[in-house]
Amino acid sequence: MKIKPILGFATLAIALSLAMPVQSANRRDVEKLKETGQCSRCDLRDANLRNANLQGADLRNANLRGANLRGAALRNADLSNADLRGADLRDADLSRSNLRNANLSDANLRNADLERAEVRGVNFQGTDLRGANVKDTGLPGDNRGRDNDRERNDNERVAVEFISRSNDEVRIQIEGDGKRQQIRLSGNNSKERIYLPATTYRVSFFGSQSGYKPWKSGKLDLGRGRTNTIRIYFNRSNRSVQVENDPQAWNSD
């Protein structure tokens, strides 16, 4: 007499379980990442981040399992201890990124750029690295053919070198040419060189504890054509920014 109700509830439970959506990325976390570049421990499973500009992003311990990061700009990003199992990283720029102890099992990194990436402790089981640039990583292979292409492209741009004059950690955000990228520097005399098309950029300097408000911002005009290399010295302690070679290229807010 009680078998039919039990079967009815069982059938209903199965139907509900099948109707439940598969767990995926937290929408707020995706928006947070795109807006701030800060997403440590975020839930980004299966997120569509194809061609996203995530240079210098903080993705420590993030769950990026199955995420679409094809063609994403992840140069200097911190992906230490991140879960990237099954992620699509084809053609992604992971140069100088921190992948220490990340899980990249079954991930697709075909034609990705891993030059100078930190890969100690990474799980590469089942990872597709065909065509990837693994120069200066300690991994087998050395695609020097890409170096010539990169140098040729870099020569057509302005070399901008950011140099820290304090021990504070600083995040630098560069916006212009339809893109946004970030770099991080920590420690006196730490430096990073990037190559940018000759146009005008908005540059903002953030401290590690300053949240969304920069401690210094301004416009950097690289279209003046006076030099192929610009060095920018900054000091978090006294909130100063100085441009060498072409001081008039920088205009503080």
Side-chain angles (χ1 to χ4, degrees), residues 12-24:
L12 178 61
I14 293 172
L16 288 173
S17 65
L18 292 174
M20 291 178 65
V22 178
Q23 288 184 325
S24 58

Side-chain angles (χ1 to χ4, degrees), residues 79-82 98-103 118-123:
L79 288 151
S80 54
N81 297 294
N98 182 4
L99 290 163
R100 190 165 189 173
N101 297 321
N103 190 344
E118 171 59 75
V119 296
R120 282 179 290 181
V122 173
N123 182 354

Side-chain angles (χ1 to χ4, degrees), residues 37-93:
Q38 307 290 308
C39 217
S40 176
R41 299 184 181 278
C42 284
D43 182 0
L44 300 165
R45 287 169 292 176
D46 299 311
N48 184 6
L49 297 166
R50 183 168 180 169
N51 296 320
N53 188 349
L54 302 172
Q55 295 195 59
D58 182 359
L59 288 161
R60 291 171 295 170
N61 300 287
N63 188 347
L64 285 153
R65 187 171 184 176
N68 182 357
L69 288 157
R70 185 172 183 175
L74 287 157
R75 180 181 173 88
N76 288 308
D78 191 344
L79 288 151
S80 54
N81 297 294
D83 185 352
L84 287 153
R85 286 175 290 175
D88 186 352
L89 286 153
R90 286 174 291 174
D91 303 304
D93 181 3

Side-chain angles (χ1 to χ4, degrees), residues 204-223:
S204 302
F205 297 82
F206 298 83
S208 58
Q209 305 297 328
S210 61
Y212 303 134
K213 186 176 180 180
W215 55 263
K216 195 74 169 183
S217 61
K219 290 184 179 180
L220 179 65
D221 185 1
L222 300 180

Side-chain angles (χ1 to χ4, degrees), residues 120-169:
R120 282 179 290 181
V122 173
N123 182 354
F124 282 113
Q125 184 175 0
T127 305
D128 189 347
L129 287 164
R130 286 176 291 178
N133 177 15
V134 294
K135 182 182 178 184
D136 295 330
T137 61
L139 295 172
D142 188 351
N143 299 334
R144 298 187 182 274
R146 289 195 176 192
D147 296 341
N148 295 331
D149 293 337
R150 185 177 295 108
E151 289 174 4
R152 182 166 57 251
N153 292 333
D154 289 347
N155 289 335
E156 299 171 357
R157 303 186 176 198
V158 178
V160 181
E161 191 168 44
F162 292 91
I163 305 169
S164 176
R165 285 292 184 249
S166 67
N167 292 319
D168 301 297
E169 180 179 344

